[in-house]
Amino acid sequence: MDLEGKNVVYLGGFGGIGKKCVQELLKKQIKGLAIFDLIVDDDLLAEWKKQNPDTEVFYQKVDITQKSDIDAAYKATAEKLGHFDVVVKGSGLLDDRLIELTIQINLVGVINTTLTALEYMDKSNGGRGGLIVNISSVAGLQPTPLMAIYSTSKTGVTTFTRAMASPIHYAHSGVGFITICPGFTNTGILKDIDKKTTFPFYETRMRTVFSKVKGQTVEVCARNIVHAIETAQNGSVLMLELGEIHELDIPNLCNPQLDDCVFVCLS
Ligand SMILES: NC(=O)c1ccc[n+]([C@@H]2O[C@H](COP(=O)([O-])OP(=O)(O)OC[C@H]3O[C@@H](n4cnc5c(N)ncnc54)[C@H](O)[C@@H]3O)[C@@H](O)[C@H]2O)c1
Ligand SMILES: CCCCCCO
């Protein structure tokens, strides 16, 4: 999608990846940017507003575990911007010791913020269509024993987003969906990992290996997320690993007779 003149909602815009994505998005002459987050960096927000006088930049405090917050934020954004073209879901928690909160934020939060956004974007409901980008993880592509609950939540994000990308839904709503699966990216989410894993490290080797894994910079990850927003097609699942974008060709495992009724047909 060409981002010039578009309205964007970014959930988690003050997070590690979020801040850099916002900075990249603001380079694209977007018309409006709503940042939904639990936290705010007032100085950074003021700087973004000052540096981008032609873009309406504003913050909405949102706890995505609270449906009332989600509803209020989207309502206020629709009133301020009229409509929104792109919604990026970049909120997240990695802490397997907080089981319910992990699922509430990473999965239920993504589902609720998606379905509420659709109320405004769905062409069959008077919307203009658009693009919803859900940030999963490489841990949402294959089981990750180290953080099994996080991996489960992210696998749910990947599956939910692929299901929402069904051509059946797209033909109805005009809202496309893409799944972004970053690999290790140098933000705070990976710090103190041995306090966040499903179980304490069984052996120091796992810990040694984990602390030695080479991650990508946040800047490169953010640039690739924005590139994906501009170029990816509905249903794309993109792994962003070590500065590269890999479009994943996930096979349809369904009965051909059900192909267009149940599963995404990535034709
Ligand atoms: N950093 C990585 O290695 C990596 C890899 C793959 C996927 N991801 C995913 O990318 C996204 C951003 O991660 P990050 O590394 O920038 O982490 P981060 O911790 O810096 O950012 C997380 C963001 O989510 C927000 N958030 C947390 N709980 C919330 C709540 N209840 N309501 C609203 N907002 C809430 C935080 O305020 C923050 O803005 C997450 O979904 C994460 O799972 C990160
Ligand atoms: C091994 C999986 C690393 C996941 C990084 C945070 O999504």
Side-chain angles (χ1 to χ4, degrees):
M1 176 186 289
D2 177 5
L3 283 164
E4 187 171 353
K6 297 299 194 300
N7 290 329
V8 181
V9 178
Y10 199 105
L11 290 94
F14 287 108
I17 291 175
K19 278 189 285 196
K20 297 301 180 186
C21 277
V22 164
Q23 285 166 351
E24 288 301 314
L25 287 166
L26 287 170
K27 295 175 187 173
K28 301 292 180 178
Q29 287 76 47
I30 56 177
K31 182 168 176 286
L33 175 67
I35 301 165
F36 292 7
D37 209 328
L38 195 58
I39 57 167
V40 61
D41 179 330
D42 289 313
D43 293 340
L44 189 54
L45 182 61
E47 186 184 316
W48 286 337
K49 286 172 181 270
K50 187 176 175 196
Q51 288 172 346
N52 301 275
D54 298 332
T55 302
E56 184 161 9
V57 183
F58 58 98
Y59 164 69
Q60 290 281 345
K61 182 175 174 62
V62 175
D63 176 348
I64 62 169
T65 68
Q66 303 304 310
K67 185 73 170 56
S68 55
D69 280 14
I70 296 169
D71 293 343
Y74 277 122
K75 183 172 183 290
T77 301
E79 286 164 0
K80 201 181 274 274
L81 299 180
H83 74 280
F84 27 92
D85 305 288
V86 181
V87 178
V88 185
K89 314 278 191 42
S91 309
L93 172 72
L94 194 167
D95 188 337
D96 269 20
R97 314 288 158 87
L98 302 174
I99 297 173
E100 286 80 4
L101 195 57
T102 295
I103 302 299
Q104 275 293 334
I105 291 170
N106 293 353
L107 183 55
V108 179
V110 166
I111 293 169
N112 283 332
T113 50
T114 296
L115 298 181
T116 308
L118 278 173
E119 291 170 17
Y120 294 88
M121 300 170 79
D122 187 336
K123 279 183 175 173
S124 68
N125 194 33
R128 298 188 184 196
L131 177 67
I132 293 182
V133 182
N134 287 338
I135 299 182
S136 176
S137 165
V138 287
L141 293 172
Q142 62 183 24
T144 306
L146 211 56
M147 45 197 84
I149 289 98
Y150 176 83
S151 178
T152 300
S153 71
K154 289 298 188 177
T155 302
V157 170
T158 303
T159 297
F160 171 71
T161 310
R162 290 185 65 217
M164 296 303 286
S166 162
I168 306 165
H169 294 324
Y170 186 56
H172 187 78
S173 70
V175 178
F177 284 80
I178 62 174
T179 310
I180 298 286
C181 301
F184 283 69
T185 307
N186 300 331
T187 73
I189 206 170
L190 295 175
K191 288 200 174 86
D192 299 326
I193 193 67
D194 49 355
K195 296 176 185 158
K196 303 177 184 178
T197 52
T198 315
F199 303 110
F201 279 97
Y202 286 125
E203 44 147 38
T204 54
R205 199 183 81 77
M206 194 192 290
R207 171 148 181 56
T208 307
V209 166
F210 193 91
S211 58
K212 287 184 176 170
V213 171
K214 186 175 178 332
Q216 64 190 351
T217 65
V218 202
E219 290 79 4
V220 160
C221 183
R223 271 201 301 276
N224 284 339
I225 289 173
V226 173
H227 179 74
I229 292 169
E230 292 179 306
T231 59
Q233 300 302 308
N234 177 45
S236 289
V237 178
L238 302 171
M239 181 171 73
L240 274 50
E241 183 72 280
L242 293 177
E244 295 186 356
I245 302 177
H246 303 277
E247 172 117 31
L248 301 184
D249 180 12
I250 302 177
N252 265 337
L253 305 176
C254 62
N255 176 329
Q257 298 168 71
L258 293 175
D259 201 31
D260 63 350
C261 308
V262 180
F263 297 90
V264 173
C265 22
L266 300 176
S267 50

